[in-house]
Amino acid sequence: MRVRVEQTPLPGIGVRHDLVTSSGRTVGVVSHRNGRRDLVLYDVDDPDSCLASIPLTDDEAEALADVLGASLMLGQLAGLRQQASGLLTEQIALPAGSPFVGRKLGDTRTRTRTGASIVAVMRDREVVASPGPDFVFEANDVVVAVGTRSGLDGVSAILAGDTDD
Amino acid sequence: MHGTTILLIEVGALLFALGMLGRLGRRFGLSPIPLYLLAGLAFGHGGLVPLSASEEFIEIGASIGVILLLVMLGLEYSAGELVGNLRAAAPAGVIDAVFNALPGAAFAFLMGWDWRAALVLAGITWVSSSGVIAKVLGDLGRLGNRETPVILSVLVIEDLAMAFYLPLVTAVLAGVGLIGGLKSLGVAVVTVLAVLVVAIRYGRQISALISARDAEALLLGVFGLTLFVAGVAEELNVSAAVGAFLVGIAISGPVAHHATEMLSPLRDLFAAVFFVFFGLSTDPAAMPPVLLPALGLAAITMLTKVLTGYLAAKRVGIALPGRLRAGLSLMPRGEFSIVIAGLAVASGVEPGLAPLATAYVLITVVSGPMLARLPDYEWFKTFIRRWRQPSRPAVQPRTAED
């Protein structure tokens, strides 16, 4: 079903768009000439007045529109953004048979070998942020790494002991 | 000391003091206009610290200030908005004019002034301050409210009416007589209509002439064109303010948007000088005798503005709280009233007019924005609810249950 959006000119300021939701609430947007928008929510008791008027910049309004838009589109956009910057974040569980259980993080030499960085380690639901080279791995640790696709693949290979050294 | 040196010191100190005053005012949610007027009173003849060397500079700055105030006002509206609004809002505009201009005129006759002073005072009490009201609506988060378009369209009509009223007053005050007055009014009407038609049809082409890309060329182009047209309009007895207003209307689109951004700081500077200048030309000693009459006039015309807003909002089906919000928002008078009074002072029509106008604007511009907040208070809302449903008093059913 199409939603009816009403447009009201505000001379000297801009334009207001509002719509009544199926739950009976009125929501509107006041678009200023300079690109600022106000998100306005109307009072139930006094439908002529707005309860809240939240100023949004152009960028914020766009971001909000993305979120409110189809969730399918959002997923695609998020994927695009990651691909565009070429940088990914991944959680890699330390395999049970990893050669690094009980050894230091520095021993893995992941950054020199793959270009990817280990930025955190999760252990028993606790996060160790930016672990140093002297950090000692335990079984069931989950490593958070940042890097390119191939770099991250390299990290998981190293942690699994799939590389020859 | 050299004349220029003293001028620099005086102007510098004055502007710095205004800056501090404006900052102080903003902390209390006060418009800077009344503070600038008070500063002008303090610095004028008979005030605390009379300025002497910078008088000429302030006078020229003040006339540039009026022109910038008006061109910015014109830039806010497109010609289409002005004309498109006209038919729908005309009845509200007529109510507004009758309810608010007549008390001013009647008051002038009551004071024993002549009909020229009555015409001027009618204008002073008629026009609400677009600048102050738009600011208050924004501050109170009411831009989305349903009564806001009503308020804005009343302001638009007033501003448009000024394009015809100002040349009339200019001609009358210049003492060109009935025939001369009609002639200059005719010139004004034809000019205003011609500009509106040209702006609607060819606004894009005019704006294309002044490119929005080059900031410096845009600033000089728009500012220069405005001063030039304002000067020519003044020469034709149409009033410089109207000329500037028309330039603002004729420019549209991205050029208008960028011009607004570039001219805003200039406007703030020279408008402050204008308000100070108006205060300067008022003798503080003349204020106390007119204070009581000004208070009475303010009380009456603030009530008539509430009634104006109430009726205008009622016409478009706004409920009672919204009608009161519209009425209470329309009360402040400001820059336009001072512009009109400034014209009268320059022509020396009635010596009591300047102090009365100063006091009047001070009262309305300070109390107006405060009273505009009334409908947001809980006790006021409760009061309205009781008033609206007198048949169902809230207390009775509860006592019956007890």
Side-chain angles (χ1 to χ4, degrees):
Chain A
M1 196 190 79
R2 290 196 74 83
V3 179
R4 226 184 99 198
V5 179
E6 210 170 305
Q7 178 180 333
T8 314
L10 299 174
I13 291 171
V15 64
R16 187 188 80 214
H17 291 95
D18 53 51
L19 63 93
V20 182
T21 65
S22 54
S23 59
R25 295 298 303 266
T26 312
V27 193
V29 173
V30 175
S31 310
H32 296 243
R33 295 254 174 77
N34 58 13
R36 191 185 116 181
R37 285 133 209 239
D38 295 338
L39 183 67
V40 292
L41 308 173
Y42 287 88
D43 198 338
V44 185
D45 291 336
D46 175 11
D48 294 328
S49 89
C50 43
L51 269 183
S53 166
I54 305 159
L56 299 171
T57 64
D58 232 0
D59 291 342
E60 289 159 355
E62 207 178 316
L64 193 61
D66 279 355
V67 176
L68 289 173
S71 55
L72 180 72
M73 191 174 85
L74 179 71
Q76 286 168 347
L77 276 178
L80 275 178
R81 190 166 301 159
Q82 283 199 337
Q83 280 167 20
S85 63
L87 213 57
L88 300 166
T89 309
E90 216 161 70
Q91 297 182 8
I92 304 162
L94 206 65
S98 168
F100 293 104
V101 172
R103 286 175 64 188
K104 288 178 180 177
L105 188 151
D107 293 348
T108 61
R109 298 197 295 122
T110 44
R111 195 174 334 178
T112 9
R113 284 154 72 187
T114 66
S117 299
I118 294 175
V119 293
V121 177
M122 294 190 282
R123 176 181 294 168
D124 298 329
R125 294 190 189 169
E126 280 191 33
V127 177
V128 182
S130 6
D134 294 325
F135 180 85
V136 179
F137 284 119
E138 285 179 12
N140 301 323
D141 279 355
V142 176
V143 168
V144 180
V146 176
T148 58
R149 183 70 268 156
S150 63
L152 290 174
D153 290 341
V155 173
S156 45
I158 290 169
L159 293 180
D162 285 352
T163 47
D164 16 309
D165 63 333
Chain B
M1 269 194 287
H2 201 270
T4 321
T5 327
I6 304 175
L7 178 111
L8 286 180
I9 292 172
E10 282 191 3
V11 172
L14 175 71
L15 293 181
F16 182 74
L18 292 184
M20 292 298 112
L21 273 178
R23 208 185 141 193
L24 194 73
R26 223 153 284 140
R27 282 185 69 166
F28 298 103
L30 209 66
S31 151
I33 295 176
L35 299 171
Y36 296 160
L37 282 173
L38 286 176
L41 278 176
F43 290 125
H45 298 288
L48 300 172
V49 198
L51 298 176
S52 48
S54 49
E55 236 172 318
E56 202 175 324
F57 173 84
I58 292 177
E59 195 175 340
I60 296 169
S63 39
I64 295 177
V66 174
I67 289 166
L68 284 172
L69 272 175
L70 270 290
V71 71
M72 296 284 293
L73 193 65
L75 282 172
E76 275 177 22
Y77 306 124
S78 69
E81 266 177 355
L82 283 178
V83 177
N85 212 309
L86 205 56
R87 204 169 300 156
V94 172
I95 295 174
D96 181 39
V98 171
F99 279 17
N100 298 291
L102 286 185
F107 189 83
F109 287 124
L110 212 67
M111 296 281 281
W113 294 345
D114 67 353
W115 63 275
R116 291 183 300 164
L119 181 68
V120 172
L121 202 55
I124 293 173
T125 57
W126 174 13
V127 203
S128 302
S129 167
S130 314
V132 173
I133 292 170
K135 177 106 195 342
V136 167
L137 289 177
D139 287 350
L140 296 182
R142 292 208 192 137
L143 290 179
N145 282 17
R146 275 181 216 288
E147 78 274 2
T148 296
V150 179
I151 298 171
L152 293 176
S153 60
V154 168
L155 296 178
V156 171
I157 299 259
E158 281 178 0
D159 293 340
L160 194 57
M162 282 301 108
F164 299 101
Y165 171 86
L166 284 178
L168 178 70
V169 170
T170 313
V172 164
L173 293 177
V176 282
L178 191 63
I179 304 292
L182 284 179
K183 207 174 93 186
S184 73
L185 185 64
V187 171
V189 170
V190 171
T191 319
V192 172
L193 292 179
V195 167
L196 284 178
V197 168
V198 169
I200 290 173
R201 290 251 173 93
Y202 306 106
R204 206 161 294 171
Q205 283 88 327
I206 296 172
S207 305
L209 202 69
I210 314 165
S211 165
R213 284 209 197 120
D214 186 350
E216 191 178 334
L218 175 71
L219 175 66
L220 296 177
V222 173
F223 189 43
L225 182 68
T226 308
L227 289 186
F228 175 76
V229 174
V232 172
E234 184 88 356
E235 192 62 35
L236 292 172
N237 258 334
V238 179
S239 144
V242 171
F245 181 60
L246 292 177
V247 171
I249 289 172
I251 297 172
S252 62
V255 174
H257 178 65
H258 285 103
T260 309
E261 275 175 10
M262 312 229 28
L263 288 176
S264 287
L266 266 186
R267 189 260 324 256
D268 292 344
L269 171 64
F270 285 106
V273 172
F274 165 68
F275 290 118
V276 169
F277 172 73
F278 190 78
L280 276 180
S281 48
T282 311
D283 185 359
M287 291 279 284
V290 295
L291 211 54
L292 219 55
L295 208 60
L297 184 64
I300 293 167
T301 55
M302 280 163 86
L303 270 178
T304 54
K305 271 289 179 194
V306 174
L307 200 59
T308 305
Y310 182 92
L311 292 175
K314 191 181 175 188
R315 271 190 67 240
V316 295
I318 304 284
L320 183 67
R323 291 178 209 167
L324 290 175
R325 274 195 302 271
L328 290 165
S329 308
L330 277 169
M331 290 191 302
R333 317 297 206 277
E335 60 274 10
F336 249 133
S337 301
I338 295 291
V339 168
I340 297 166
L343 285 175
V345 171
S347 70
V349 61
E350 177 62 56
L353 200 61
L356 180 78
T358 312
Y360 177 76
V361 168
L362 280 176
I363 294 165
T364 57
V365 85
V366 171
S367 63
M370 288 180 190
L371 291 171
R373 280 167 211 266
L374 274 183
D376 288 347
Y377 292 113
E378 212 42 61
W379 60 265
F380 193 86
K381 287 183 189 168
T382 321
F383 175 70
I384 294 294
R385 244 172 265 143
R386 291 236 181 97
W387 186 21
R388 199 159 36 164
Q389 306 165 323
S391 52
R392 273 193 292 151
V395 195
Q396 243 174 11
R398 203 172 296 161
T399 46
E401 273 172 39
D402 292 344

mmCIF file of all heavy atoms in Angstrom, chain B residues 209-252:
data_model
loop_
_atom_site.group_PDB
_atom_site.id
_atom_site.type_symbol
_atom_site.label_atom_id
_atom_site.label_comp_id
_atom_site.label_asym_id
_atom_site.label_seq_id
_atom_site.Cartn_x
_atom_site.Cartn_y
_atom_site.Cartn_z
ATOM 1 N N LEU B 209 23.184 35.310 -14.414
ATOM 2 C CA LEU B 209 24.087 36.425 -14.696
ATOM 3 C C LEU B 209 25.160 36.529 -13.624
ATOM 4 O O LEU B 209 26.312 36.841 -13.884
ATOM 5 C CB LEU B 209 23.256 37.717 -14.744
ATOM 6 C CG LEU B 209 23.832 38.903 -15.490
ATOM 7 C CD1 LEU B 209 23.864 38.616 -16.974
ATOM 8 C CD2 LEU B 209 22.987 40.138 -15.206
ATOM 9 N N ILE B 210 24.726 36.284 -12.366
ATOM 10 C CA ILE B 210 25.655 36.316 -11.236
ATOM 11 C C ILE B 210 25.956 34.873 -10.888
ATOM 12 O O ILE B 210 25.127 34.197 -10.303
ATOM 13 C CB ILE B 210 25.015 37.026 -10.028
ATOM 14 C CG1 ILE B 210 24.349 38.319 -10.474
ATOM 15 C CG2 ILE B 210 26.045 37.285 -8.961
ATOM 16 C CD1 ILE B 210 23.405 38.887 -9.440
ATOM 17 N N SER B 211 27.137 34.403 -11.258
ATOM 18 C CA SER B 211 27.449 32.996 -11.026
ATOM 19 C C SER B 211 27.626 32.724 -9.538
ATOM 20 O O SER B 211 28.174 33.535 -8.808
ATOM 21 C CB SER B 211 28.728 32.622 -11.775
ATOM 22 O OG SER B 211 29.213 31.395 -11.293
ATOM 23 N N ALA B 212 27.134 31.564 -9.101
ATOM 24 C CA ALA B 212 27.257 31.209 -7.691
ATOM 25 C C ALA B 212 28.621 30.614 -7.391
ATOM 26 O O ALA B 212 28.959 30.371 -6.246
ATOM 27 C CB ALA B 212 26.159 30.223 -7.308
ATOM 28 N N ARG B 213 29.441 30.363 -8.442
ATOM 29 C CA ARG B 213 30.685 29.611 -8.229
ATOM 30 C C ARG B 213 31.779 30.465 -7.593
ATOM 31 O O ARG B 213 32.434 30.050 -6.670
ATOM 32 C CB ARG B 213 31.178 29.062 -9.565
ATOM 33 C CG ARG B 213 30.353 27.871 -9.981
ATOM 34 C CD ARG B 213 31.126 26.900 -10.821
ATOM 35 N NE ARG B 213 30.161 26.026 -11.483
ATOM 36 C CZ ARG B 213 30.050 25.932 -12.781
ATOM 37 N NH1 ARG B 213 30.833 26.623 -13.570
ATOM 38 N NH2 ARG B 213 29.149 25.138 -13.309
ATOM 39 N N ASP B 214 31.940 31.688 -8.142
ATOM 40 C CA ASP B 214 33.021 32.542 -7.667
ATOM 41 C C ASP B 214 32.529 33.360 -6.480
ATOM 42 O O ASP B 214 31.736 34.285 -6.641
ATOM 43 C CB ASP B 214 33.467 33.448 -8.824
ATOM 44 C CG ASP B 214 34.688 34.261 -8.459
ATOM 45 O OD1 ASP B 214 35.058 34.249 -7.274
ATOM 46 O OD2 ASP B 214 35.260 34.902 -9.362
ATOM 47 N N ALA B 215 33.010 33.029 -5.288
ATOM 48 C CA ALA B 215 32.482 33.641 -4.068
ATOM 49 C C ALA B 215 32.665 35.160 -4.064
ATOM 50 O O ALA B 215 31.748 35.905 -3.749
ATOM 51 C CB ALA B 215 33.159 33.023 -2.853
ATOM 52 N N GLU B 216 33.855 35.595 -4.467
ATOM 53 C CA GLU B 216 34.154 37.023 -4.402
ATOM 54 C C GLU B 216 33.276 37.803 -5.375
ATOM 55 O O GLU B 216 32.685 38.826 -5.028
ATOM 56 C CB GLU B 216 35.631 37.232 -4.721
ATOM 57 C CG GLU B 216 36.124 38.617 -4.431
ATOM 58 C CD GLU B 216 37.607 38.749 -4.734
ATOM 59 O OE1 GLU B 216 38.320 37.723 -4.685
ATOM 60 O OE2 GLU B 216 38.031 39.866 -5.046
ATOM 61 N N ALA B 217 33.184 37.281 -6.602
ATOM 62 C CA ALA B 217 32.374 37.956 -7.616
ATOM 63 C C ALA B 217 30.911 37.972 -7.194
ATOM 64 O O ALA B 217 30.196 38.953 -7.419
ATOM 65 C CB ALA B 217 32.522 37.251 -8.954
ATOM 66 N N LEU B 218 30.477 36.893 -6.554
ATOM 67 C CA LEU B 218 29.085 36.817 -6.098
ATOM 68 C C LEU B 218 28.802 37.874 -5.038
ATOM 69 O O LEU B 218 27.826 38.627 -5.127
ATOM 70 C CB LEU B 218 28.821 35.420 -5.523
ATOM 71 C CG LEU B 218 27.441 35.208 -4.901
ATOM 72 C CD1 LEU B 218 26.375 35.172 -5.965
ATOM 73 C CD2 LEU B 218 27.410 33.937 -4.089
ATOM 74 N N LEU B 219 29.708 37.958 -4.048
ATOM 75 C CA LEU B 219 29.525 38.931 -2.965
ATOM 76 C C LEU B 219 29.464 40.349 -3.528
ATOM 77 O O LEU B 219 28.524 41.108 -3.258
ATOM 78 C CB LEU B 219 30.676 38.808 -1.965
ATOM 79 C CG LEU B 219 30.681 39.836 -0.837
ATOM 80 C CD1 LEU B 219 29.491 39.637 0.067
ATOM 81 C CD2 LEU B 219 31.959 39.755 -0.031
ATOM 82 N N LEU B 220 30.482 40.685 -4.346
ATOM 83 C CA LEU B 220 30.531 42.042 -4.891
ATOM 84 C C LEU B 220 29.351 42.291 -5.814
ATOM 85 O O LEU B 220 28.745 43.364 -5.783
ATOM 86 C CB LEU B 220 31.856 42.256 -5.644
ATOM 87 C CG LEU B 220 33.105 42.177 -4.765
ATOM 88 C CD1 LEU B 220 34.360 42.318 -5.601
ATOM 89 C CD2 LEU B 220 33.072 43.250 -3.682
ATOM 90 N N GLY B 221 29.003 41.291 -6.625
ATOM 91 C CA GLY B 221 27.909 41.452 -7.577
ATOM 92 C C GLY B 221 26.587 41.709 -6.881
ATOM 93 O O GLY B 221 25.895 42.694 -7.186
ATOM 94 N N VAL B 222 26.250 40.858 -5.919
ATOM 95 C CA VAL B 222 24.953 40.993 -5.254
ATOM 96 C C VAL B 222 24.913 42.256 -4.406
ATOM 97 O O VAL B 222 23.953 43.036 -4.447
ATOM 98 C CB VAL B 222 24.649 39.746 -4.379
ATOM 99 C CG1 VAL B 222 23.389 39.961 -3.564
ATOM 100 C CG2 VAL B 222 24.504 38.523 -5.253
ATOM 101 N N PHE B 223 25.994 42.495 -3.645
ATOM 102 C CA PHE B 223 26.032 43.658 -2.773
ATOM 103 C C PHE B 223 25.982 44.942 -3.607
ATOM 104 O O PHE B 223 25.220 45.874 -3.303
ATOM 105 C CB PHE B 223 27.311 43.606 -1.924
ATOM 106 C CG PHE B 223 27.363 44.632 -0.835
ATOM 107 C CD1 PHE B 223 26.247 44.901 -0.050
ATOM 108 C CD2 PHE B 223 28.530 45.331 -0.572
ATOM 109 C CE1 PHE B 223 26.298 45.843 0.961
ATOM 110 C CE2 PHE B 223 28.595 46.276 0.443
ATOM 111 C CZ PHE B 223 27.477 46.530 1.206
ATOM 112 N N GLY B 224 26.768 44.954 -4.678
ATOM 113 C CA GLY B 224 26.798 46.133 -5.551
ATOM 114 C C GLY B 224 25.446 46.387 -6.193
ATOM 115 O O GLY B 224 24.930 47.512 -6.163
ATOM 116 N N LEU B 225 24.862 45.334 -6.742
ATOM 117 C CA LEU B 225 23.552 45.467 -7.407
ATOM 118 C C LEU B 225 22.513 45.996 -6.411
ATOM 119 O O LEU B 225 21.707 46.877 -6.733
ATOM 120 C CB LEU B 225 23.115 44.109 -7.959
ATOM 121 C CG LEU B 225 21.791 44.098 -8.732
ATOM 122 C CD1 LEU B 225 21.951 44.866 -10.029
ATOM 123 C CD2 LEU B 225 21.338 42.680 -9.013
ATOM 124 N N THR B 226 22.570 45.463 -5.183
ATOM 125 C CA THR B 226 21.604 45.879 -4.163
ATOM 126 C C THR B 226 21.741 47.362 -3.837
ATOM 127 O O THR B 226 20.752 48.102 -3.822
ATOM 128 C CB THR B 226 21.809 45.047 -2.878
ATOM 129 O OG1 THR B 226 21.801 43.675 -3.216
ATOM 130 C CG2 THR B 226 20.723 45.333 -1.877
ATOM 131 N N LEU B 227 22.985 47.793 -3.579
ATOM 132 C CA LEU B 227 23.207 49.206 -3.253
ATOM 133 C C LEU B 227 22.757 50.088 -4.404
ATOM 134 O O LEU B 227 22.104 51.117 -4.207
ATOM 135 C CB LEU B 227 24.688 49.464 -2.942
ATOM 136 C CG LEU B 227 25.235 48.907 -1.636
ATOM 137 C CD1 LEU B 227 26.663 49.372 -1.431
ATOM 138 C CD2 LEU B 227 24.381 49.322 -0.454
ATOM 139 N N PHE B 228 23.098 49.669 -5.631
ATOM 140 C CA PHE B 228 22.773 50.460 -6.818
ATOM 141 C C PHE B 228 21.256 50.598 -6.964
ATOM 142 O O PHE B 228 20.728 51.717 -7.083
ATOM 143 C CB PHE B 228 23.377 49.789 -8.060
ATOM 144 C CG PHE B 228 23.001 50.464 -9.348
ATOM 145 C CD1 PHE B 228 23.597 51.663 -9.723
ATOM 146 C CD2 PHE B 228 22.043 49.904 -10.188
ATOM 147 C CE1 PHE B 228 23.249 52.288 -10.906
ATOM 148 C CE2 PHE B 228 21.686 50.520 -11.366
ATOM 149 C CZ PHE B 228 22.291 51.725 -11.731
ATOM 150 N N VAL B 229 20.542 49.488 -6.922
ATOM 151 C CA VAL B 229 19.083 49.532 -7.090
ATOM 152 C C VAL B 229 18.446 50.314 -5.940
ATOM 153 O O VAL B 229 17.510 51.099 -6.152
ATOM 154 C CB VAL B 229 18.499 48.105 -7.180
ATOM 155 C CG1 VAL B 229 16.983 48.137 -7.200
ATOM 156 C CG2 VAL B 229 19.015 47.408 -8.423
ATOM 157 N N ALA B 230 18.990 50.114 -4.709
ATOM 158 C CA ALA B 230 18.446 50.846 -3.558
ATOM 159 C C ALA B 230 18.600 52.344 -3.769
ATOM 160 O O ALA B 230 17.678 53.123 -3.503
ATOM 161 C CB ALA B 230 19.155 50.400 -2.286
ATOM 162 N N GLY B 231 19.758 52.737 -4.280
ATOM 163 C CA GLY B 231 20.012 54.157 -4.532
ATOM 164 C C GLY B 231 19.060 54.712 -5.576
ATOM 165 O O GLY B 231 18.484 55.794 -5.396
ATOM 166 N N VAL B 232 18.902 53.973 -6.673
ATOM 167 C CA VAL B 232 18.003 54.420 -7.744
ATOM 168 C C VAL B 232 16.579 54.528 -7.208
ATOM 169 O O VAL B 232 15.867 55.507 -7.480
ATOM 170 C CB VAL B 232 18.071 53.452 -8.945
ATOM 171 C CG1 VAL B 232 17.005 53.802 -9.968
ATOM 172 C CG2 VAL B 232 19.442 53.504 -9.586
ATOM 173 N N ALA B 233 16.160 53.544 -6.412
ATOM 174 C CA ALA B 233 14.810 53.560 -5.853
ATOM 175 C C ALA B 233 14.611 54.784 -4.962
ATOM 176 O O ALA B 233 13.583 55.449 -5.015
ATOM 177 C CB ALA B 233 14.554 52.283 -5.051
ATOM 178 N N GLU B 234 15.635 55.085 -4.160
ATOM 179 C CA GLU B 234 15.575 56.256 -3.282
ATOM 180 C C GLU B 234 15.415 57.525 -4.115
ATOM 181 O O GLU B 234 14.641 58.420 -3.780
ATOM 182 C CB GLU B 234 16.869 56.313 -2.453
ATOM 183 C CG GLU B 234 16.910 57.422 -1.443
ATOM 184 C CD GLU B 234 16.316 57.022 -0.102
ATOM 185 O OE1 GLU B 234 15.811 55.893 0.003
ATOM 186 O OE2 GLU B 234 16.344 57.856 0.814
ATOM 187 N N GLU B 235 16.155 57.583 -5.218
ATOM 188 C CA GLU B 235 16.114 58.744 -6.110
ATOM 189 C C GLU B 235 14.703 58.926 -6.676
ATOM 190 O O GLU B 235 14.233 60.040 -6.878
ATOM 191 C CB GLU B 235 17.139 58.529 -7.241
ATOM 192 C CG GLU B 235 17.445 59.748 -8.085
ATOM 193 C CD GLU B 235 18.068 60.888 -7.271
ATOM 194 O OE1 GLU B 235 18.830 60.583 -6.343
ATOM 195 O OE2 GLU B 235 17.751 62.050 -7.576
ATOM 196 N N LEU B 236 14.007 57.788 -6.907
ATOM 197 C CA LEU B 236 12.646 57.837 -7.462
ATOM 198 C C LEU B 236 11.599 57.991 -6.365
ATOM 199 O O LEU B 236 10.399 57.862 -6.625
ATOM 200 C CB LEU B 236 12.352 56.544 -8.239
ATOM 201 C CG LEU B 236 13.137 56.318 -9.526
ATOM 202 C CD1 LEU B 236 12.867 54.922 -10.063
ATOM 203 C CD2 LEU B 236 12.772 57.358 -10.571
ATOM 204 N N ASN B 237 12.065 58.231 -5.108
ATOM 205 C CA ASN B 237 11.153 58.361 -3.968
ATOM 206 C C ASN B 237 10.396 57.069 -3.664
ATOM 207 O O ASN B 237 9.312 57.089 -3.103
ATOM 208 C CB ASN B 237 10.130 59.468 -4.213
ATOM 209 C CG ASN B 237 10.513 60.716 -3.455
ATOM 210 O OD1 ASN B 237 11.191 60.625 -2.429
ATOM 211 N ND2 ASN B 237 10.112 61.862 -3.953
ATOM 212 N N VAL B 238 10.984 55.907 -4.072
ATOM 213 C CA VAL B 238 10.320 54.633 -3.822
ATOM 214 C C VAL B 238 10.827 54.014 -2.522
ATOM 215 O O VAL B 238 10.297 53.018 -2.070
ATOM 216 C CB VAL B 238 10.537 53.684 -5.024
ATOM 217 C CG1 VAL B 238 9.897 52.338 -4.799
ATOM 218 C CG2 VAL B 238 9.952 54.299 -6.279
ATOM 219 N N SER B 239 11.846 54.581 -1.916
ATOM 220 C CA SER B 239 12.494 54.090 -0.699
ATOM 221 C C SER B 239 13.538 53.026 -1.031
ATOM 222 O O SER B 239 13.268 52.044 -1.723
ATOM 223 C CB SER B 239 11.483 53.556 0.318
ATOM 224 O OG SER B 239 11.991 52.445 1.004
ATOM 225 N N ALA B 240 14.739 53.275 -0.520
ATOM 226 C CA ALA B 240 15.867 52.369 -0.767
ATOM 227 C C ALA B 240 15.562 50.973 -0.265
ATOM 228 O O ALA B 240 15.951 49.974 -0.878
ATOM 229 C CB ALA B 240 17.114 52.913 -0.070
ATOM 230 N N ALA B 241 14.822 50.898 0.869
ATOM 231 C CA ALA B 241 14.530 49.600 1.472
ATOM 232 C C ALA B 241 13.754 48.716 0.509
ATOM 233 O O ALA B 241 14.040 47.521 0.359
ATOM 234 C CB ALA B 241 13.736 49.796 2.759
ATOM 235 N N VAL B 242 12.773 49.314 -0.184
ATOM 236 C CA VAL B 242 11.963 48.533 -1.118
ATOM 237 C C VAL B 242 12.809 48.056 -2.293
ATOM 238 O O VAL B 242 12.686 46.910 -2.739
ATOM 239 C CB VAL B 242 10.764 49.368 -1.607
ATOM 240 C CG1 VAL B 242 10.043 48.659 -2.728
ATOM 241 C CG2 VAL B 242 9.836 49.635 -0.462
ATOM 242 N N GLY B 243 13.684 48.947 -2.793
ATOM 243 C CA GLY B 243 14.578 48.558 -3.886
ATOM 244 C C GLY B 243 15.384 47.327 -3.516
ATOM 245 O O GLY B 243 15.477 46.356 -4.276
ATOM 246 N N ALA B 244 15.942 47.342 -2.292
ATOM 247 C CA ALA B 244 16.762 46.221 -1.838
ATOM 248 C C ALA B 244 15.921 44.952 -1.713
ATOM 249 O O ALA B 244 16.337 43.872 -2.122
ATOM 250 C CB ALA B 244 17.394 46.563 -0.489
ATOM 251 N N PHE B 245 14.715 45.106 -1.164
ATOM 252 C CA PHE B 245 13.810 43.968 -0.989
ATOM 253 C C PHE B 245 13.522 43.317 -2.343
ATOM 254 O O PHE B 245 13.536 42.089 -2.478
ATOM 255 C CB PHE B 245 12.515 44.472 -0.343
ATOM 256 C CG PHE B 245 11.489 43.410 -0.081
ATOM 257 C CD1 PHE B 245 11.768 42.341 0.747
ATOM 258 C CD2 PHE B 245 10.231 43.492 -0.642
ATOM 259 C CE1 PHE B 245 10.816 41.378 1.005
ATOM 260 C CE2 PHE B 245 9.273 42.528 -0.392
ATOM 261 C CZ PHE B 245 9.570 41.469 0.424
ATOM 262 N N LEU B 246 13.302 44.155 -3.363
ATOM 263 C CA LEU B 246 12.987 43.633 -4.689
ATOM 264 C C LEU B 246 14.181 42.901 -5.303
ATOM 265 O O LEU B 246 14.008 41.884 -5.969
ATOM 266 C CB LEU B 246 12.532 44.771 -5.603
ATOM 267 C CG LEU B 246 11.177 45.373 -5.204
ATOM 268 C CD1 LEU B 246 10.823 46.531 -6.100
ATOM 269 C CD2 LEU B 246 10.082 44.318 -5.240
ATOM 270 N N VAL B 247 15.395 43.433 -5.076
ATOM 271 C CA VAL B 247 16.584 42.726 -5.574
ATOM 272 C C VAL B 247 16.637 41.334 -4.958
ATOM 273 O O VAL B 247 16.885 40.341 -5.638
ATOM 274 C CB VAL B 247 17.871 43.515 -5.246
ATOM 275 C CG1 VAL B 247 19.107 42.684 -5.565
ATOM 276 C CG2 VAL B 247 17.912 44.815 -6.010
ATOM 277 N N GLY B 248 16.350 41.275 -3.651
ATOM 278 C CA GLY B 248 16.370 39.982 -2.958
ATOM 279 C C GLY B 248 15.377 39.003 -3.549
ATOM 280 O O GLY B 248 15.665 37.819 -3.698
ATOM 281 N N ILE B 249 14.192 39.508 -3.909
ATOM 282 C CA ILE B 249 13.171 38.626 -4.475
ATOM 283 C C ILE B 249 13.561 38.145 -5.867
ATOM 284 O O ILE B 249 13.345 36.988 -6.230
ATOM 285 C CB ILE B 249 11.816 39.353 -4.523
ATOM 286 C CG1 ILE B 249 11.286 39.521 -3.108
ATOM 287 C CG2 ILE B 249 10.804 38.600 -5.366
ATOM 288 C CD1 ILE B 249 10.074 40.381 -3.027
ATOM 289 N N ALA B 250 14.170 39.049 -6.645
ATOM 290 C CA ALA B 250 14.502 38.719 -8.034
ATOM 291 C C ALA B 250 15.574 37.641 -8.111
ATOM 292 O O ALA B 250 15.611 36.868 -9.064
ATOM 293 C CB ALA B 250 14.944 39.970 -8.773
ATOM 294 N N ILE B 251 16.448 37.582 -7.114
ATOM 295 C CA ILE B 251 17.514 36.564 -7.131
ATOM 296 C C ILE B 251 16.953 35.278 -6.535
ATOM 297 O O ILE B 251 16.282 35.306 -5.504
ATOM 298 C CB ILE B 251 18.724 37.034 -6.311
ATOM 299 C CG1 ILE B 251 19.312 38.287 -6.952
ATOM 300 C CG2 ILE B 251 19.780 35.941 -6.239
ATOM 301 C CD1 ILE B 251 20.375 38.941 -6.122
ATOM 302 N N SER B 252 17.205 34.150 -7.201
ATOM 303 C CA SER B 252 16.622 32.904 -6.710
ATOM 304 C C SER B 252 17.611 31.756 -6.890
ATOM 305 O O SER B 252 18.706 31.942 -7.410
ATOM 306 C CB SER B 252 15.330 32.599 -7.483
ATOM 307 O OG SER B 252 15.643 32.419 -8.837
#
